[in-house]
Amino acid sequence: MKRHLGAACLAACLALASVQPAHALFGAGDVVFDPSNYSQNVLQAARALQQINNQIRGLQNQVLMLQNMAKHLERLDYSSLGAIQAALGRINLLMAQAEGIAFRVDRTEQELARLYPKEYAATVTTDELARDARGRWEHSMDALRLTMLVQAEVVQNVETDSGELARLLAESQAAIGSLQAQQATNQLVALSTKQQLQTQELVAAQYRAEALERARAAAAQEQARAQFDRFLGDGKAYTPLD
């Protein structure tokens, strides 16, 4: 298109130059060739052609810029946010359903004061000691059960995360614009954050189980002391006869 347009402009300029009357050098009415006028017409035609070419290049650059902007603003078709939220929701549900001592400060303080006393009173009965020992054992079993459930959930999530990671990397590499690349990167960051959060949940469950087991051992020692004191009584187990 450029060549045809330039050739047409040049031909038009040359045609105009060929019919331009020059000053009569040989007499009135005679048409002669004027080199100076011809050169000026050729230069004007060349400048006009250059301007047209510049305008065409400018329009092409604008079209390319608009196409690039459209690519950069194109959204990513894939989202892993729903799967990430669902996985974290399952772990949070397990933690919220923790039996025995829940993950709440007020309830933890109440249960520790009730079943893990620093010292038993002298009036404590054998039935009360046995009841507390049973409650502490149930707490330890519940904590171990929760830890195993969270571990199983995390392992399943890791298997799922492997597929999500491969999909997100493929989407990131195939991104055609900055918006798609940024969205894929954001989802990769979200996946990494989810893995960190579920690891923290698992660590919390494990530490809870270990802490309850240690507290149970300490309470068992205090219970043994209380039972021994009850066995001794006032220290006068034998009273001689008169």
Side-chain angles (χ1 to χ4, degrees), residues 159-177:
E159 295 177 357
T160 304
D161 290 347
S162 299
E164 289 289 341
L165 180 60
R167 176 70 182 273
L168 289 174
L169 288 175
E171 293 289 342
S172 177
Q173 293 175 353
I176 61 175

Side-chain angles (χ1 to χ4, degrees), residues 14 17 21 40 42 87 98 102 112-113 124 139 153 156 165 173-174 196 218 220 235:
L14 293 177
Q40 291 179 359
V42 171
L112 287 177
V124 65
H139 281 181
E153 185 66 31
Q156 292 178 1
L165 180 60
Q173 293 175 353
Q196 294 176 9

Side-chain angles (χ1 to χ4, degrees), residues 1-199:
M1 179 178 178
K2 292 181 182 180
R3 295 179 179 177
H4 293 311
L5 185 57
C9 292
L10 183 58
C13 293
L14 293 177
L16 290 175
S18 64
V19 298
Q20 286 286 338
H23 293 291
L25 299 177
F26 300 95
D30 294 334
V31 178
V32 296
F33 176 74
D34 189 347
S36 177
N37 189 32
Y38 176 79
S39 300
Q40 291 179 359
N41 291 332
V42 171
L43 290 175
Q44 291 177 358
R47 293 192 187 99
L49 180 60
Q50 184 64 34
Q51 291 178 356
I52 293 173
N53 289 335
N54 292 337
Q55 292 176 357
I56 292 174
R57 281 195 295 268
L59 292 173
Q60 290 175 339
N61 291 334
Q62 290 180 4
V63 171
L64 182 60
M65 181 180 65
L66 292 175
Q67 291 175 347
N68 291 334
M69 290 176 62
K71 290 181 179 180
H72 290 318
L73 295 176
E74 188 169 347
R75 297 179 61 84
L76 193 66
D77 294 332
Y78 177 73
S79 175
S80 62
L81 181 59
I84 291 175
Q85 290 178 331
L88 288 177
R90 290 191 297 270
I91 293 180
N92 290 335
L93 182 60
L94 287 175
M95 301 293 281
Q97 293 175 345
E99 299 178 359
I101 296 183
F103 288 91
R104 292 181 54 182
V105 175
D106 53 348
R107 294 185 58 183
T108 298
E109 290 179 343
Q110 293 173 2
E111 290 297 306
L112 287 177
R114 184 175 68 89
L115 294 179
Y116 302 84
K118 294 181 179 179
E119 184 178 2
Y120 278 104
T123 58
V124 65
T125 65
T126 302
D127 290 341
E128 290 174 341
L129 292 175
R131 180 200 63 197
D132 290 353
R134 176 71 182 185
R136 290 190 293 268
W137 176 82
E138 290 177 351
H139 281 181
S140 295
M141 292 299 296
D142 290 338
L144 291 174
R145 174 178 174 274
L146 174 64
T147 301
M148 296 178 67
L149 290 176
V150 174
Q151 287 174 342
E153 185 66 31
V154 169
V155 170
Q156 292 178 1
N157 289 344
V158 169
E159 295 177 357
T160 304
D161 290 347
S162 299
E164 289 289 341
L165 180 60
R167 176 70 182 273
L168 289 174
L169 288 175
E171 293 289 342
S172 177
Q173 293 175 353
I176 61 175
S178 59
L179 180 59
Q180 285 191 356
Q182 184 63 43
Q183 288 178 333
T185 301
N186 290 341
Q187 294 189 52
L188 287 170
V189 173
L191 181 62
S192 175
T193 303
K194 170 230 176 180
Q195 293 172 343
Q196 294 176 9
L197 289 175
Q198 69 181 12
T199 300

